[in-house]
Amino acid sequence: MSQKVLLTAKEVQIILQRLACQLVENHSDFSNTVLIGIQPRGIFLLKRLEEILESEYDIKSLKTGQLDITFYRDDFRRSDKPLEANKTKIDFVVEDKRVVFIDDVLYTGRSIRAALTAIQSFGRPKEIELLSFIDRRFSRHLPIQPDYNGRQVDAINEEKVIVNWKENEGEDIVYLISK
């Protein structure tokens, strides 16, 4: 098994800054926008973007939430091991809001499809956008594309992209793992 560094901590920080800037360009004061991190790994990205938006762009009215999609996935019954759900934490209605889904890796698109179904329990959004840190563009099973993209990675199916966040794994780094 081989491991290649795709992004260093410095490159991760540069991408986070760019993504935050793009969000500000498109959502201005965020008065009608909510950011929803997709559990589990999108939460780390959401929190980092939230910090940048609040501290560097002085966004005060930022509404954020966490969405668990475990039981909305089309493959949740296909596993022999029991699934552990995460928590959904959305304490607002998304009716007529601009929703931005945030996830670390966009792979097949199935997680986003599940999120589209799950968010309907909280109202009917005016618009939904997708922000992904890593886009594995040649691995898509569904016609889903990110509106905001950190980095595109051309990985074949046997390869894995691993995003490590300093809050969870102790360092910001992105690896491409080959078997």
Side-chain angles (χ1 to χ4, degrees):
M1 182 152 56
S2 68
Q3 173 175 296
K4 176 184 171 189
V5 174
L6 291 178
L7 297 171
T8 64
K10 183 176 182 180
E11 293 167 315
V12 167
Q13 190 58 36
I14 290 169
I15 290 171
L16 288 170
Q17 293 289 335
R18 178 174 46 82
L19 290 170
C21 185
Q22 289 173 337
L23 286 170
V24 170
E25 286 176 358
N26 290 331
H27 296 275
S28 190
D29 66 353
F30 289 81
S31 61
N32 199 38
T33 301
V34 297
L35 304 180
I36 307 284
I38 298 176
Q39 287 276 25
R41 310 261 331 149
I43 304 310
F44 301 113
L45 178 55
L46 170 65
K47 290 192 182 308
R48 294 290 284 282
L49 289 170
E50 185 178 11
E51 287 173 16
I52 294 169
L53 291 169
E54 289 176 346
S55 66
E56 296 181 27
Y57 293 97
D58 203 32
I59 306 295
K60 300 292 183 211
S61 60
L62 195 60
K63 287 188 178 179
T64 63
Q66 302 175 6
L67 183 64
D68 177 51
I69 58 164
T70 303
F71 299 112
Y72 293 93
R73 293 185 57 91
D74 59 6
D75 60 354
F76 88 93
R77 287 190 176 98
R78 294 177 183 234
S79 179
D80 291 336
K81 62 181 181 179
L83 294 175
E84 290 186 32
N86 294 291
K87 289 188 176 170
T88 290
K89 183 180 177 237
I90 299 176
D91 54 5
F92 46 84
V93 176
V94 300
E95 190 77 27
D96 291 324
K97 297 286 186 194
R98 296 176 71 192
V99 172
V100 181
F101 285 145
I102 297 176
D103 207 2
D104 64 343
V105 178
L106 176 57
Y107 181 31
T108 63
R110 293 185 184 279
S111 293
I112 304 309
R113 190 221 43 88
L116 289 167
T117 303
I119 199 66
Q120 293 174 6
S121 299
F122 299 92
R124 184 175 186 248
K126 177 179 183 180
E127 175 184 337
I128 298 177
E129 295 178 328
L130 174 60
L131 181 149
S132 68
F133 194 73
I134 300 292
D135 176 12
R136 292 187 55 169
R137 63 183 173 165
F138 296 133
S139 304
R140 209 81 74 244
H141 295 176
L142 300 170
I144 292 173
Q145 301 301 322
D147 299 283
Y148 308 94
N149 187 18
R151 174 71 55 93
Q152 285 186 329
V153 175
D154 299 332
I156 57 176
N157 286 334
E158 292 79 39
E159 296 175 318
K160 288 184 85 170
V161 176
I162 305 294
V163 178
N164 287 351
W165 299 105
K166 66 181 176 185
E167 297 85 353
N168 197 43
E169 288 89 13
E171 68 175 333
D172 289 337
I173 194 163
V174 179
Y175 294 107
L176 178 65
I177 311 284
S178 303
K179 291 184 180 184

